[in-house]
């Protein structure tokens, strides 16, 4: 099975400024939602994987890719065996799927995503 990059998420110290910048730079469509974790902006890029934008505090801004996997728990376990640091082993997004946050052995952050099977 392929392991495509299925999503990209911008974690930023200034969500409003990032939104203005990317709206002026691209032809992306933005939809901001209110979630239990705060505001979250879904980005429709037109081609390629979807994206999201969210405000964060205490860390520099960064883009985080998500790799699509068939079995999240198995992929997290395998990444750990290969030297990854697991920041969050599982989080569930209702009606969407489940993800995990990791750091590879070189220090790069990435996510794993298991799409909800209908």
């Amino acid at each position: 099975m392929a392991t495509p990059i299925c999503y990209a998420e911008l974690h930023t110290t200034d969500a409003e400024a990032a939104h203005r910048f990317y709206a002026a730079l691209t032809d992306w469509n933005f939809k901001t939602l209110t979630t239990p974790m705060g505001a979250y902006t879904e980005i429709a890029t037109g081609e390629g994987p979807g994206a999201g934008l969210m405000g964060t505090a205490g860390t520099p801004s960064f883009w985080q890719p998500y790799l699509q996997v068939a079995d999240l728990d198995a992929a997290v376990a395998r990444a750990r065996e290969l030297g990854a640091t697991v920041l969050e082993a599982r989080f569930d997004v209702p009606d969407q799927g489940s993800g995990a946050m990791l750091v590879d052995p070189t220090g790069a952050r990435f996510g794993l995503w298991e799409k909800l099977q209908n």
Side-chain angles (χ1 to χ4, degrees):
M1 175 184 174
T3 308
I5 293 175
C6 62
Y7 199 73
E9 195 167 63
L10 175 58
H11 297 244
T12 178
T13 57
D14 190 336
E16 290 179 17
H19 184 155
R20 285 192 306 274
F21 173 79
Y22 287 102
L25 178 67
T26 70
D27 60 354
W28 295 347
N29 292 308
F30 299 82
K31 180 180 176 184
T32 301
L33 310 170
T34 302
T35 74
M37 301 295 288
Y40 187 85
T41 301
E42 293 179 339
I43 304 170
T45 61
E47 292 184 28
L53 184 158
M54 62 188 291
T56 59
T59 62
S61 298
F62 62 93
W63 277 98
Q64 178 166 308
Y66 284 82
L67 311 179
Q68 185 173 321
V69 297
D71 183 333
L72 181 64
D73 296 328
V76 168
R78 180 69 176 143
R80 185 179 281 135
E81 288 172 7
L82 294 170
T85 301
V86 178
L87 301 176
E88 189 172 1
R90 174 180 281 274
F91 61 88
D92 299 315
V93 178
D95 303 319
Q96 299 293 317
S98 300
M101 305 288 233
L102 302 97
V103 178
D104 76 16
T106 72
R109 284 184 67 141
F110 70 101
L112 297 173
W113 182 255
E114 180 183 341
K115 193 174 173 180
L116 186 65
Q117 300 300 317
N118 295 332

